[in-house]
Amino acid sequence: MGTSQPDTSTTAQAVFERAPQQLYVGGRWVDAERGATFDVVDPSTGEALCAVADASPADGRAALEAAAAAQASFAATSSRERADTLMRAFDLLHDRIDDLALLMTLEMGKPLAEAHGEIAYAAEFLRHFAGEAVRIDGGYQAAPAGGARFLVAKQPVGPCLLITPWNFPMAMATRKIGPAIAAGCTSVVKPAQQTPLSTLAFVDILREAGLPAGAVNVVTTADATGVMEPLIRSGLARKLSFTGSTKVGRILLEQCADKVLRTSMELGGNAPFIVFEDADLDEAVDGAIAAKMRNMGEACTAANRIYVHQEIIEEFGDRLTEKMSALPVGRGVDDGVRVGPLIDEAARRKVSELVADAVQQGARVLTGGVTPTGQGYFYPPTVLTDVPRSARMADEEIFGPVAPLTPFKDETEVVAAANDTEFGLVSYVYTNDLRRALRVAEAIETGMVGLNQGVVSNPAAPFGGVKQSGLGREGGPTGIEEFLETKYIGIALA
Ligand code: NAP
């Protein structure tokens, strides 16, 4: 499809007719208890697109029982078989990319080109973990004191609960389901209420790719707490992998303590984006737009605080404003659109409140900052300058297309400012001074650093945060370890 414009009225209808909207339990598509459903809404119109199954706690229990029942046989499949399934799913994702991108754009709002990009990125997790599956290793070692041998084996953790957010509905699913399958873990996936369709479509692809019944189950629900808490506390699951807000992550960590579940937590961010006076300004402006505007700013990796050296902040602000104000805003399905709607009215209200708060505290609006009237949850690309430390947006994720600029004087001051947050997911640093780049990259308290680049996500690299941005890593060589236990077998030699 590329950037060509589909006839969305007819194509969308065909895509919805094919899109699964039920629960997937034990290898079968089933209705929720008593046929309950909830609506999926198009954020560019505010209108319902379709209704999907609304799982009850009993439906959730059935899904986890199916996962638990399939665990032993799935763990016994060969890693080559699991890798081959992942590669068939990789191919199918690419074969269906146009339909899947349209489905994602309709339920989530991002421009079609970005939806295409996300599906290609999501597919890469399958290819990456297909490679990791066949390289699960172990060890054999002599005890230091002699007389014994250590055999070290890796085994699947067991049935997993996988909870994903709405902002990257396909990639966040494959980033968890891919390594779970590779490791031989069965799972119950709960996608976000606002974007269930992409995950359901992906799981149908796994079915078509030959994944055994029960290996992956999906529950969609409008009652996340009511359905998931009993599963977390059931004793049937051995792990929870969660991507979402830090607020919900804290609640889930407490629940996981009950049965001492393994956890992976990919939580919120508050990324600093630092531009030193020696940086290439054009590259820094383009990097800031990439780091800020991917997904309309609705990304955990979004640049949330942009610190620019005081000597260049005016020039940087002018160039950023020129480019930001030229970005076309509109429905993600329309040709040439770069900025779609926010996910819902609550998200838009929060962005608008954060902007009002910053302005009240002395920030100046260089472009945007006014909520439009009319259909959909649109918010314009916005640049603020002179944003003070006391502004709420210095502490809270904006999750919208707002770039707040703050001047700084020197390296020590900006590193302290960057670290003055409970979050530690990612940071971005623009400088042409190698020694400074390495000093700052080491001093900054984040799990990932983009040096002269505004996007760090890569399936082959370890993604994750420190501090209250999370626990564990997804992707990269460590991603599969999150789904493996290490078993040590001590052998006495006669
Ligand atoms: P969220 O409100 O925390 O929800 C995330 C998921 O958790 C959704 O599926 C949600 O279901 C579910 N959920 C909410 N409360 C729950 C509960 N009490 N028990 C069980 N499940 C529960 O986050 P979001 O608004 O969807 O996503 C945005 C957040 O995700 C941001 O903070 C962003 O930074 C973070 N994020 C982090 C990463 C990363 O890799 N670090 C990546 C992407 C996003 P419902 O939809 O039904 O509420």
Side-chain angles (χ1 to χ4, degrees):
M1 186 184 329
T3 52
S4 68
Q5 191 175 347
D7 173 354
T8 48
S9 54
T10 51
T11 319
Q13 195 181 338
V15 165
F16 281 122
E17 274 165 17
R18 285 196 292 274
Q21 294 161 19
Q22 292 170 288
L23 311 178
Y24 190 62
V25 178
R28 289 174 49 239
W29 290 105
V30 294
D31 284 331
E33 202 180 18
R34 290 189 289 279
T37 60
F38 63 87
D39 284 345
V40 181
V41 171
D42 178 346
S44 70
T45 62
E47 286 165 11
L49 290 164
C50 64
V52 304
D54 185 3
S56 67
D59 292 320
R61 176 81 192 189
L64 182 53
E65 282 175 357
Q71 179 58 57
S73 60
F74 191 55
T77 57
S78 72
S79 61
R80 174 68 69 205
E81 203 175 326
R82 299 196 300 274
D84 287 348
T85 304
L86 289 172
M87 282 312 297
R88 282 193 293 274
F90 170 89
D91 289 337
L92 286 167
L93 272 181
H94 279 283
D95 291 349
R96 314 265 162 84
I97 196 163
D98 288 351
D99 281 6
L100 293 168
L102 182 54
L103 198 63
M104 186 187 294
T105 291
L106 288 167
E107 71 171 343
M108 192 274 157
K110 68 182 71 186
L112 266 181
E114 284 200 42
H116 264 249
E118 182 181 335
I119 290 160
Y121 170 57
E124 284 307 319
F125 284 104
L126 306 182
R127 178 151 65 176
H128 175 76
F129 285 111
E132 293 293 329
V134 294
R135 288 182 187 81
I136 297 171
D137 58 7
Y140 182 77
Q141 180 191 335
R149 296 294 180 267
F150 303 162
L151 201 57
V152 177
K154 299 283 175 65
Q155 293 183 315
V157 166
C160 299
L161 301 171
L162 312 177
I163 303 180
T164 56
W166 49 263
N167 60 347
F168 293 98
M170 187 70 86
M172 297 302 97
T174 59
R175 200 163 80 172
K176 296 185 190 305
I177 298 171
I181 291 174
C185 294
T186 63
S187 60
V188 175
V189 188
K190 194 210 83 65
Q193 186 185 339
Q194 280 148 322
T195 57
L197 298 171
S198 294
T199 307
L200 292 170
F202 171 58
V203 168
D204 202 40
I205 280 177
L206 286 174
R207 180 196 57 74
E208 207 177 322
L211 190 75
V216 174
N217 307 272
V218 189
V219 289
T220 49
T221 178
D223 179 14
T225 309
V227 171
M228 296 312 288
E229 184 171 0
L231 303 188
I232 293 168
R233 296 188 190 277
S234 66
L236 284 179
R238 287 308 320 144
K239 179 183 170 80
L240 170 70
S241 177
F242 171 73
T243 298
S245 60
T246 296
K247 185 173 152 219
V248 172
R250 287 190 197 105
I251 295 169
L252 296 178
L253 278 169
E254 280 193 32
Q255 294 176 5
C256 286
D258 192 14
K259 292 290 191 301
V260 193
L261 298 195
R262 281 272 297 265
T263 57
S264 300
M265 293 276 150
E266 294 289 345
L267 308 179
N270 182 8
F273 187 104
I274 304 172
V275 187
F276 284 98
E277 65 277 21
D278 62 315
D280 179 311
L281 221 51
D282 284 330
E283 281 184 15
V285 167
D286 288 345
I289 289 178
K292 178 76 253 179
M293 296 304 291
R294 183 173 178 221
N295 224 35
M296 293 79 73
E298 294 174 315
C300 53
T301 50
N304 210 57
R305 298 168 291 153
I306 304 181
Y307 297 107
V308 188
H309 192 271
Q310 59 188 16
E311 279 173 18
I312 54 163
I313 191 165
E314 202 173 320
E315 176 68 18
F316 182 90
D318 288 348
R319 292 199 207 179
L320 184 67
T321 300
E322 191 186 331
K323 290 202 169 177
M324 287 277 280
S325 53
L327 294 173
V329 180
R331 290 192 72 196
V333 290
D334 290 341
D335 212 9
V337 163
R338 286 284 312 279
V339 186
L342 298 182
I343 191 70
D344 58 21
E345 184 53 37
R348 178 165 74 163
R349 200 175 319 115
K350 181 182 175 198
V351 171
S352 148
E353 282 170 12
L354 289 179
V355 169
D357 166 76
V359 169
Q360 210 226 328
Q361 303 207 43
R364 285 183 295 122
V365 180
L366 298 183
T367 185
V370 178
T371 304
T373 53
Q375 249 197 343
Y377 311 121
F378 295 95
Y379 195 85
T382 297
V383 181
L384 305 177
T385 195
D386 296 334
V387 176
R389 171 66 188 87
S390 56
R392 273 176 59 194
M393 62 175 65
D395 292 309
E396 295 177 39
E397 277 185 298
I398 303 169
F399 246 56
V402 178
L405 310 187
T406 301
F408 71 90
K409 285 196 299 295
D410 62 43
E411 188 181 314
T412 310
E413 176 202 348
V414 79
V415 169
N419 288 340
D420 183 18
T421 170
E422 70 195 24
F423 297 106
L425 187 62
V426 62
S427 52
Y428 305 92
V429 180
Y430 275 74
T431 176
N432 279 320
D433 178 337
L434 177 65
R435 280 188 274 193
R436 170 188 272 163
L438 294 178
R439 257 194 328 265
V440 174
E442 288 186 13
I444 220 152
E445 297 164 350
T446 56
M448 302 173 286
V449 181
L451 274 182
N452 295 320
Q453 63 177 45
V455 176
V456 294
S457 308
N458 190 312
F463 187 104
V466 299
K467 294 159 80 176
Q468 294 185 40
S469 284
L471 298 168
R473 295 293 179 270
E474 291 191 321
T478 44
I480 194 168
E481 295 292 334
E482 303 273 329
F483 291 88
L484 292 169
E485 291 287 9
T486 300
K487 181 174 277 178
Y488 149 58
I489 303 163
I491 308 164
L493 292 189

